[in-house]
Amino acid sequence: MPANNSIFQTSTFRLAAIYLLVFAISAGAILGYVYYTTVGLLERQTEDTIHAEILGLADQYQLLGVAGLVDTVQRRSRETGGAIYLLEGPNQTYVAGNLDAMPSGVTQNQTWIDFPITVGKAPVAVQHTARGFQVELANGYDLLVGRDVNELRQFRDVIREALFWAVAMSLVLGLGGGYLMSRNFLKRVDAITGATRVIMAGDLSQRMPVSGTNDELDRLSGSLNDMLSQIERLMNGMKEVSSNVAHDLKTPLTRMRARIEAALRQDNEQEYRAALNQTIEECDRLLRTFNALLSIAQAESGQMRQGLQPLDLNDTLTDVVELYEPLADEAGGSLKLEAKPGLRVRGDRQLLAQVLNNLIDNAMKYGQSSSEKAADIEVFGRVEGQTVVIEVADHGIGINEQDRERVLGRFVRLDESRTKSGNGLGLSLVASVMTLHNGHIQFEDNQPGLRVILRLPLYTEAS
Amino acid sequence: MQHAELTSEAQQGTEMHMRILVIEDDREAASWLVKGLRESGHIVDLAAEGLQGLTMALEGVHDVCIVDRMLPLLDGLSIIQKMRSADLKTPVLILSALSDVDERVKGLRAGGDDYLAKPYAFSELLARVEGLGSRKLLDPKDAKLKALDLEIDLMTRTVTRGGKPIILQPREFKLLEYLVRNAGHIVTRTMLLENVWDYHFDPQTNVIDVHVSRLRGKLDKGFAEPLLQTVRGAGYMIRAR
């Protein structure tokens, strides 16, 4: 355990300590109440009894005189039950009672006193504690009434001891439990910290430990793991993009270099001219790729969101279809538009036109139903509830279900031979423009062919 | 294709000689640009920074100014704004490494007449510069445009060639109008896409070519002399004479 991760600094331990303090205070209060209602009650009852008896005897002395009092004291002294009596005459002379002499410590009238008494006859005599009350009567007589409180005191000690141990045990157990809990917590936090260190060192496949109890730490680890999966996927995507960029740039550069080298070997102006023309074409292709990458990055950054204006997609659809219709027609295919009115969205005309442009271009390249025939393409536009739906459908080879997500990635071309022109960025741009417009792209099987479905939020005056 | 193909050397620069001001601080880029424009038969002045550029532009002797956006001392957009506030109407082509539509709009709003993102093809730049230079020759209020035996009536939106009416779709009319306004000058595919369709992205296909060849079919059908020419590696041109 690292030194700065002291167990006393953990939130669990602090929580346990605070809880323990509150618990100790309330336990103390409860036990104090128990003590007061048991031991205290018994002591008070004893004192009340003694007091009552003193009053009774004082009354008798007034009514019957010394003889009556002596008679009563002698009678009661013979009874067993732990009652103690002593009646002294003037000058501390013994008159009656079961105590030989007034205990030392009695100095003034009407005081409570604890004093030792001897119970039983030697050799089994034992010392007990007694508690008594002494009053001075008229004519120099002193009366002491007491009770053997030995059992009571023993009971009090037992209770006190029990209370002490109860508090002590709860403190020890609470501290120990807090320590153990904190150590367990700390161990799991340390495990998570360790995992993050490994991840930071570069191993993105590492995950936070999950204990399986589904407690808050588990849930935290769970969401951290989800986040890590997302990051890992994005990182892999980035790596794929970087390696694709490298590959897609390296190939034309290699080609360019080879051509120039071959032309230089020829030493012929005609060859030079051809090589330079091809180099320019290759450069233009590379620049187009870079521009497409920049457009995607710009759409993805979201900074264009403020510039979006309300516009009618019907116009854009008509324009783009009109732009492409002659090309499709010339190739022997067809391009048809079926759009319902009211396709209002908040968007960027250029970007949305480019999206349609890319989709129609793809459909023309990959949408032929057979190799002899050019593609027949249908474009639909309609409103579904609060959504504007645009569809571009062809009757070509379509996209397999498992490739539908992948094909949105940069430089992904399903045409492995790459015989058709293109840079594999068209659908990436479509996806990023859709995201910019809070829209969504989806692929469906057109049976046969591909149906690309774009959904955009409908623009209304209220929104 | 049956139509005449002219090489760019034969075609470009033969029509007119303009005095062009280039304001560009990148020495190498500027020297290639100046060389190319001179080879095309134009007289070129070069300014390597903004203040000098503005002073030269304010002389008011140039037919076209080519202004880079990022310049030392005074940036390109400020030069254009100062030119316009001095009531100088010299057409300006803005050059910029920033290719966003937003940047283009900013440039045109400052008073620029055209915008070209770097890197550009020289043929594209030349076509645009010559297009800008010829613009002032045409009176925009003129209701009729003519090229050879072709006549466009902008009021009735009708087209005749040799007195014979030619029926055009609205977009074809717009396309023809743009080509005829630039008659005698090369018009690139990008210029057509920007000015006729108002699209500022690269469609990556020869989508414009089909529209032009359809238009050509309608214009040249039944006529021996082709009117609409393809200039290889550059664009299209309507013959003025």
Side-chain angles (χ1 to χ4, degrees):
Chain A
M1 212 176 295
N4 58 352
N5 255 357
S6 163
I7 199 158
F8 302 107
Q9 287 177 334
T10 65
S11 56
T12 324
F13 186 82
R14 284 183 192 162
L15 215 65
I18 291 168
Y19 178 73
L20 188 63
L21 193 70
V22 173
F23 178 78
I25 289 169
S26 49
I30 291 167
L31 295 178
Y33 179 73
V34 168
Y35 181 80
Y36 178 80
T37 50
T38 52
V39 177
L41 185 71
L42 289 174
E43 282 189 341
R44 276 192 307 282
Q45 273 180 347
T46 310
E47 283 176 7
D48 286 350
T49 314
I50 291 169
H51 218 98
E53 203 162 2
I54 288 253
L55 287 177
L57 289 173
D59 278 353
Q60 278 200 337
Y61 176 65
Q62 271 188 339
L63 290 173
L64 306 171
V66 175
L69 181 60
V70 168
D71 189 42
T72 309
V73 167
Q74 279 179 340
R75 188 162 36 80
R76 289 195 186 170
S77 294
R78 280 194 296 271
E79 291 168 6
T80 54
I84 294 153
Y85 302 94
L86 174 65
L87 181 64
E88 281 187 336
N91 305 320
Q92 276 89 44
T93 51
Y94 174 85
V95 180
N98 50 9
L99 196 65
D100 297 335
M102 195 61 79
S104 59
V106 176
T107 48
Q108 64 189 92
N109 188 18
Q110 300 196 1
T111 49
W112 286 103
I113 181 169
D114 289 347
F115 53 93
I117 50 166
T118 310
V119 177
K121 301 257 163 21
V124 288
V126 281
Q127 287 276 313
H128 276 190
T129 306
R131 185 163 177 77
F133 194 78
Q134 174 263 340
V135 282
E136 283 174 21
L137 302 174
N139 303 322
Y141 285 93
D142 284 319
L143 177 64
L144 175 87
V145 177
R147 283 290 188 277
D148 185 343
V149 292
N150 211 52
E151 280 181 24
L152 190 59
R153 289 290 154 91
Q154 275 174 353
F155 176 63
R156 189 188 69 181
D157 290 346
V158 166
I159 292 285
R160 277 187 179 171
E161 210 170 324
L163 294 187
F164 170 78
W165 282 114
V167 171
M169 290 285 280
S170 66
L171 278 172
V172 167
L173 286 175
L175 279 171
Y179 176 81
L180 286 175
M181 263 157 61
S182 313
R183 207 178 58 167
N184 181 32
F185 185 79
L186 209 59
K187 217 188 265 172
R188 291 176 62 190
V189 170
D190 279 344
I192 291 174
T193 312
T196 53
R197 292 245 163 77
V198 175
I199 291 162
M200 276 191 287
D203 182 5
L204 263 180
S205 62
Q206 271 285 326
R207 288 295 176 269
M208 303 293 164
V210 175
S211 69
T213 54
N214 198 29
D215 59 2
E216 47 277 79
L217 264 188
D218 263 14
R219 273 179 280 145
L220 178 66
S221 297
S223 28
L224 284 175
N225 286 342
D226 289 348
M227 188 177 81
L228 284 169
S229 304
Q230 174 101 356
I231 290 173
E232 194 183 12
R233 210 175 52 241
L234 288 173
M235 288 287 284
N236 286 339
M238 289 275 291
K239 275 184 205 152
E240 199 181 300
V241 167
S242 316
S243 65
N244 279 337
V245 168
H247 179 262
D248 272 66
L249 297 186
K250 214 173 139 185
T251 312
L253 285 172
T254 313
R255 213 158 40 206
M256 215 179 334
R257 195 186 183 286
R259 267 183 210 152
I260 295 170
E261 208 170 33
L264 280 177
R265 271 202 306 273
Q266 295 289 317
D267 194 20
N268 164 340
E269 200 191 325
Q270 207 69 22
E271 283 292 327
Y272 288 169
R273 188 169 285 278
L276 285 175
N277 275 328
Q278 284 172 332
T279 305
I280 285 187
E281 272 171 39
E282 205 75 81
C283 281
D284 284 347
R285 245 197 310 277
L286 282 169
L287 285 170
R288 271 203 295 274
T289 303
F290 272 117
N291 281 336
L293 277 173
L294 286 172
S295 300
I296 294 168
Q298 208 192 4
E300 273 181 351
S301 74
Q303 65 194 29
M304 294 177 77
R305 206 157 268 159
Q306 288 95 332
L308 302 185
Q309 299 286 334
L311 58 90
D312 196 339
L313 261 183
N314 293 79
D315 296 342
T316 315
L317 285 171
T318 313
D319 279 3
V320 175
V321 168
E322 186 227 52
L323 180 65
Y324 269 92
E325 199 273 326
L327 195 63
D329 191 43
E330 213 83 339
S334 67
L335 174 61
K336 291 197 175 65
L337 171 66
E338 245 179 74
K340 299 263 167 24
L343 306 178
R344 303 271 300 162
V345 296
R346 181 183 281 281
D348 182 293
R349 180 181 166 270
Q350 296 290 338
L351 288 178
L352 290 173
Q354 196 169 357
V355 160
L356 292 167
N357 178 91
N358 288 3
L359 293 179
I360 293 172
D361 192 47
N362 275 353
M364 291 181 72
K365 278 189 211 153
Y366 305 108
Q368 302 112 301
S369 49
S370 69
S371 54
E372 297 92 55
K373 173 123 177 42
D376 291 313
I377 305 157
E378 290 108 43
V379 180
F380 302 97
R382 61 178 184 277
V383 178
E384 282 178 7
Q386 290 301 301
T387 310
V388 171
V389 182
I390 307 293
E391 291 185 5
V392 178
D394 63 48
H395 305 280
I397 43 170
I399 298 177
N400 287 333
E401 193 123 19
Q402 67 269 22
D403 289 328
R404 285 180 188 168
E405 178 118 1
R406 192 168 74 88
V407 82
L408 296 176
R410 288 177 181 80
F411 296 111
V412 176
R413 296 180 65 187
L414 299 178
D415 167 25
E416 291 298 337
S417 60
R418 308 205 158 182
T419 48
K420 299 235 164 64
S421 68
N423 50 25
L425 293 170
L427 286 176
S428 307
L429 182 78
V430 173
S432 59
V433 170
M434 280 299 109
T435 310
L436 177 72
H437 286 78
N438 295 320
H440 180 65
I441 180 171
Q442 187 190 338
F443 299 106
E444 270 183 18
D445 197 340
N446 199 31
Q447 294 175 338
L450 181 66
R451 182 179 286 264
V452 184
I453 304 171
L454 305 178
R455 288 175 209 278
L456 291 158
L458 178 73
Y459 174 78
T460 54
E461 295 305 323
S463 64
Chain B
M1 280 185 238
Q2 295 287 302
H3 56 264
E5 285 195 347
L6 304 174
T7 63
S8 55
E9 289 92 334
Q11 186 52 50
Q12 291 181 352
T14 54
E15 298 284 322
M16 60 197 294
H17 303 286
M18 296 194 290
R19 186 158 179 192
I20 300 168
L21 173 61
V22 174
I23 312 177
E24 162 70 273
D25 63 323
D26 181 341
R27 272 174 199 287
E28 197 171 343
S31 80
W32 286 114
L33 185 52
V34 170
K35 187 168 179 277
L37 290 170
R38 283 191 180 139
E39 279 169 2
S40 307
H42 301 295
I43 301 155
V44 186
D45 297 320
L46 175 67
E49 44 89 354
L51 281 179
Q52 189 200 356
L54 179 64
T55 314
M56 288 165 80
L58 289 175
E59 289 168 22
V61 297
H62 299 101
D63 299 299
V64 177
C65 293
I66 301 173
V67 181
D68 187 40
R69 273 213 43 187
M70 250 90 88
L71 288 167
L73 303 183
L74 189 65
D75 73 281
L77 294 191
S78 305
I79 293 176
I80 300 168
Q81 276 158 356
K82 288 196 161 62
M83 281 170 69
R84 296 303 180 234
S85 58
D87 208 24
L88 192 68
K89 294 197 177 61
T90 316
V92 176
L93 171 67
I94 304 166
L95 289 183
S96 172
L98 309 164
S99 65
D100 304 348
V101 175
D102 279 2
E103 294 298 330
R104 177 188 302 273
V105 170
K106 247 186 246 171
L108 299 185
R109 202 169 285 157
D113 297 273
D114 201 356
Y115 188 102
L116 189 60
K118 290 180 185 176
Y120 50 82
F122 182 73
S123 57
E124 181 77 37
L125 176 122
L126 188 63
R128 284 167 187 258
V129 167
E130 292 188 343
L132 287 177
S134 69
R135 190 177 281 184
K136 61 180 180 183
L137 301 176
L138 289 167
D139 186 353
K141 289 190 289 289
D142 209 344
K144 284 190 177 158
L145 298 174
K146 279 180 192 155
L148 285 179
D149 52 350
L150 184 82
E151 207 175 276
I152 303 176
D153 189 326
L154 294 173
M155 298 300 290
T156 59
R157 300 189 77 78
T158 50
V159 180
T160 54
R161 185 172 180 191
K164 248 177 69 183
I166 296 169
I167 310 299
L168 295 179
Q169 302 292 321
R171 187 73 68 182
E172 288 170 334
F173 186 88
K174 221 177 159 185
L175 178 57
L176 181 64
E177 184 192 332
Y178 186 77
L179 285 165
V180 172
R181 279 192 187 280
N182 289 283
H185 298 287
I186 294 164
V187 171
T188 64
R189 290 171 179 83
T190 320
M191 285 163 82
L192 288 176
L193 197 68
E194 285 178 8
N195 291 290
V196 179
W197 278 271
D198 190 23
Y199 285 146
H200 299 277
F201 57 85
D202 177 10
Q204 317 229 354
T205 45
N206 54 347
V207 67
I208 296 296
D209 293 358
V210 187
H211 286 269
V212 173
S213 83
R214 286 199 165 189
L215 179 64
R216 177 185 290 126
K218 289 188 177 182
L219 293 180
D220 290 348
K221 196 175 166 197
F223 292 90
E225 204 174 359
L227 188 70
L228 180 50
Q229 300 174 331
T230 302
V231 185
R232 210 173 78 185
Y236 302 98
M237 192 175 81
I238 290 266
R239 291 173 59 189
R241 287 182 292 273

